[in-house]
């Protein structure tokens, strides 16, 4: 018989911010890159806004802050 679900299913697009410890940062290459770029907090702000509002149009301030952070980081690399 197949194992039964306990009802705790997780979506692959869970936008809620989860507490991280230093060891977890190495597991996600995207978070590692964003941390190196100095934009991890802005990334989390976009995720939290999307989770709270379920409407990306209400998160344009956070998206713009994130975009500007990434652009600054890319300019530093040149």
């Amino acid at each position: 018989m197949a194992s039964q679900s306990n009802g705790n299913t997780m979506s692959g697009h869970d936008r809620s911010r989860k507490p991280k410890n230093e060891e977890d940062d190495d597991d996600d290459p995207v978070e590692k890159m964003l941390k190196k770029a100095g934009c991890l907090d802005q990334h989390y702000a976009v995720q939290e806004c999307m989770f709270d509002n379920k409407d990306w149009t209400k998160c344009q301030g956070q998206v713009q802050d994130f975009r500007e952070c990434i652009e600054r980081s890319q300019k530093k690399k040149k």
Side-chain angles (χ1 to χ4, degrees):
M1 177 178 224
S3 64
Q4 293 180 343
S5 172
N6 64 3
N8 292 334
T9 59
M10 295 276 305
S11 167
H13 298 286
D14 183 12
R15 292 185 178 97
S16 62
R17 183 176 179 185
K18 296 179 179 53
K20 293 277 185 183
N21 62 35
E22 290 301 317
E23 293 174 10
D24 288 340
D25 289 340
D26 294 333
D27 294 341
D28 187 346
V30 173
E31 285 192 359
K32 187 174 182 179
M33 182 272 303
L34 291 171
K35 186 175 183 179
K36 184 176 179 182
C39 301
L40 191 57
D41 288 340
Q42 291 86 346
H43 170 70
Y44 284 148
V46 171
Q47 286 187 322
E48 289 175 4
C49 182
M50 289 290 295
F51 180 79
D52 291 343
N53 294 293
K54 310 288 191 272
D55 181 357
W56 69 272
T57 62
K58 295 180 180 177
C59 302
Q60 293 307 295
Q62 292 86 344
V63 170
Q64 185 64 31
D65 290 345
F66 179 60
R67 175 184 289 159
E68 290 171 359
C69 183
I70 293 294
E71 289 173 354
R72 283 191 303 271
S73 175
Q74 290 174 341
K75 288 178 183 178
K76 289 178 185 177
K77 289 182 181 181
K78 292 181 182 182

